[in-house]
Amino acid sequence: THLSELRVLMYLEELRTIKKEIQDTLNGYYEPDSDEDKLKRTQLVMNRVRARMLLNMASDPQVFGKILDCLMISPREIRKIAKDIIVLKKDIPKDIPGINLIRFTVGITPDDSKEVRLQKLLAYNAMSTKEELDEEYADKDYSVDDIISGEEEFCATVSDVLTKHIIEFWIDYLNSSISALGKYLPFTEEIVLMYQTLLQKLGVKKRISENIARYDKMFETKERLNAIADYASLELNNFISTVGRRYMSEENLKEISEKALRCNVNLDLTAQGIEATRKKQPVVDALNALDESFDIMRKPGFNESDMQTLRRLPLWDNFQRWQNLLLIGLLLASGVSTKDPAENQAVKELIEKINLLYS
């Protein structure tokens, strides 16, 4: 009957809506194979993020501050981490020469799996179980797990250990903010992953460790904990608000420019667009700009004079710069593989199956 046909069409439309939601979710976890596909994916993310941010800012200018609040960390938790490492010594630097000497002598290579490494270590020590090895290495500054792990970068100093724990806390915090961030932005997983990728690519971890080492020598214990906590939180929060701009080299900017050209996206790579410079202006000018902005926002269109007025508003200027930097960061982070190949392939196959449904 006609009613039954309408009901079928209604259900089919609902199923297609569900399919679209599943596709969007899976696409957030899938990393394309080719560089061009990765750039296309990044272009999609950039366009969606830019569009959503504009809509949200148009309806509620406070959204910009709320987005940054979701990503900012407090020095309080970092101070606890510093106390655990510096005072309570819950984790200590590893004996890198000792670990590397054992690996070299036993014949462990970077390409060996954890199981292969364990078997080589067991054979060299003429033992049959890991428990025996654990007992043998119980009095060392490193464990059997340190030797057989895939980790090639060890923490050789207190500042390295502390930085490692701070960064782990920061990454966990960002990941926990994805849900809250999703109220204001699409592709929040991509944005959080971008920050983690840039932290690694731009060498931020090393810089933080070097600065913490200086603070470690400059202050007594009590002041040291506060100084390190304040510095680390400020550094990471600045990294969020500037999307790592201060760490970007001319080579990085060149890479961004080339990718932007290939993606056909307009970015402002001038000093005005990427440098957070403080501009002095009389309070009365800012207040006048605020008054004028009410009329401007009610107009059907903006001219250049209107745009200049809006740029005199700190909130608008900061928002424009951060949005520009966010897009720059997404481009710079694109192409850096972060997915497990097997898991990525499984997601790809699942996407292909979903695409066949309700076509």
Side-chain angles (χ1 to χ4, degrees):
T1 65
H2 180 65
L3 184 60
S4 297
E5 291 177 357
L6 289 177
R7 187 177 291 112
V8 168
L9 290 175
M10 181 183 69
Y11 289 150
L12 184 60
E13 188 61 31
E14 289 181 3
L15 288 171
R16 284 172 176 164
T17 300
I18 295 173
K19 171 187 173 181
K20 179 66 168 55
E21 292 174 353
I22 295 174
Q23 286 175 319
D24 289 343
T25 300
L26 289 175
N27 283 330
Y29 291 96
Y30 174 63
E31 184 178 273
D33 298 325
S34 71
D35 289 342
E36 286 302 320
D37 286 340
K38 289 177 182 178
L39 280 179
K40 288 179 182 178
R41 165 75 181 165
T42 301
Q43 185 179 26
L44 171 66
V45 173
M46 291 169 64
N47 289 337
R48 294 273 185 88
V49 167
R50 182 165 50 187
R52 176 72 69 82
M53 287 180 69
L54 179 60
L55 288 174
N56 286 338
M57 279 292 291
S59 60
D60 180 12
Q62 296 181 43
V63 162
F64 175 46
K66 292 176 181 178
I67 290 172
L68 292 182
D69 282 345
C70 286
L71 299 169
M72 297 292 180
I73 59 173
S74 163
R76 186 183 303 111
E77 292 301 322
I78 295 182
R79 190 185 188 282
K80 293 178 183 177
I81 296 172
K83 183 179 180 180
D84 285 343
I85 303 304
I86 294 174
V87 179
L88 303 180
K89 302 188 184 302
K90 290 187 176 181
D91 194 2
I92 59 175
K94 304 296 182 184
D95 181 2
I96 298 178
I99 293 174
N100 285 338
L101 177 62
I102 292 173
R103 285 180 172 180
F104 176 77
T105 305
V106 173
I108 291 175
T109 68
D111 295 331
D112 288 339
S113 66
K114 188 174 182 179
E115 182 60 33
V116 170
R117 293 180 180 214
L118 176 59
Q119 292 304 319
K120 286 183 177 181
L121 194 58
L122 285 170
Y124 187 84
N125 287 273
M127 295 178 179
S128 56
T129 66
K130 184 175 180 294
E131 287 71 22
E132 292 178 276
L133 285 175
D134 288 334
E135 186 176 347
E136 179 72 14
Y137 286 83
D139 61 342
K140 303 299 180 185
D141 291 334
Y142 47 85
S143 66
V144 173
D145 287 325
D146 290 328
I147 297 171
I148 66 176
S149 73
E151 187 175 1
E152 304 300 328
E153 180 184 351
F154 291 99
C155 299
T157 65
V158 171
S159 63
D160 287 342
V161 174
L162 184 49
T163 301
K164 171 179 175 287
H165 284 274
I166 290 173
I167 296 302
E168 287 176 351
F169 162 75
W170 180 72
I171 290 174
D172 288 342
Y173 179 82
L174 290 186
N175 288 334
S176 69
S177 301
I178 287 176
S179 177
L181 198 61
K183 299 176 184 177
Y184 315 114
L185 291 172
F187 296 105
T188 50
E189 294 91 349
E190 300 269 354
I191 293 172
V192 166
L193 184 59
M194 172 205 71
Y195 276 115
Q196 297 174 28
T197 301
L198 290 180
L199 186 91
Q200 180 71 25
K201 180 167 184 171
L202 299 176
V204 180
K205 187 175 179 180
K206 180 181 178 183
R207 185 85 64 87
I208 290 176
S209 180
E210 291 172 350
N211 288 331
I212 285 179
R214 282 196 285 271
Y215 282 110
D216 195 31
K217 296 175 182 177
M218 287 171 58
F219 298 96
E220 296 297 328
T221 300
K222 186 176 181 180
E223 291 77 13
R224 189 189 314 165
L225 299 182
N226 291 329
I228 289 174
D230 289 343
Y231 158 70
S233 59
L234 181 62
E235 187 72 31
L236 290 170
N237 288 340
N238 280 339
F239 181 76
I240 291 291
S241 62
T242 64
V243 198
R245 167 63 190 107
R246 61 177 291 196
Y247 292 96
M248 294 180 191
S249 64
E250 289 300 320
E251 185 177 343
N252 292 140
L253 294 179
K254 181 181 178 182
E255 178 185 344
I256 293 165
S257 180
E258 291 172 352
K259 287 182 176 179
L261 189 62
R262 290 163 63 188
C263 282
N264 193 29
V265 60
N266 292 322
L267 294 175
D268 186 358
L269 295 176
T270 65
Q272 182 180 4
I274 60 179
E275 302 294 347
T277 54
R278 293 184 179 273
K279 302 175 183 177
K280 290 185 178 181
Q281 66 172 332
V283 175
V284 66
D285 286 354
L287 293 176
N288 287 337
L290 184 62
D291 288 338
E292 292 174 29
S293 69
F294 287 111
D295 294 329
I296 291 173
M297 298 305 289
R298 290 182 173 86
K299 292 170 60 175
F302 297 161
N303 56 35
E304 183 58 30
S305 176
D306 295 334
M307 294 304 297
Q308 291 297 331
T309 299
L310 291 175
R311 290 191 185 103
R312 283 157 52 198
L313 298 173
L315 175 64
W316 179 263
D317 188 52
N318 291 335
F319 164 70
Q320 290 285 86
R321 184 180 296 105
W322 185 75
Q323 178 181 249
N324 185 57
L325 287 169
L326 182 64
L327 301 181
I328 286 172
L330 286 167
L331 265 185
L332 184 58
S334 67
V336 180
S337 181
T338 56
K339 305 291 185 182
D340 176 87
E343 293 178 358
N344 198 51
Q345 180 61 29
V347 173
K348 179 182 179 181
E349 292 173 0
L350 190 55
I351 290 174
E352 291 172 348
K353 291 178 181 178
I354 294 294
N355 289 341
L356 297 175
L357 297 175
Y358 316 118
S359 300

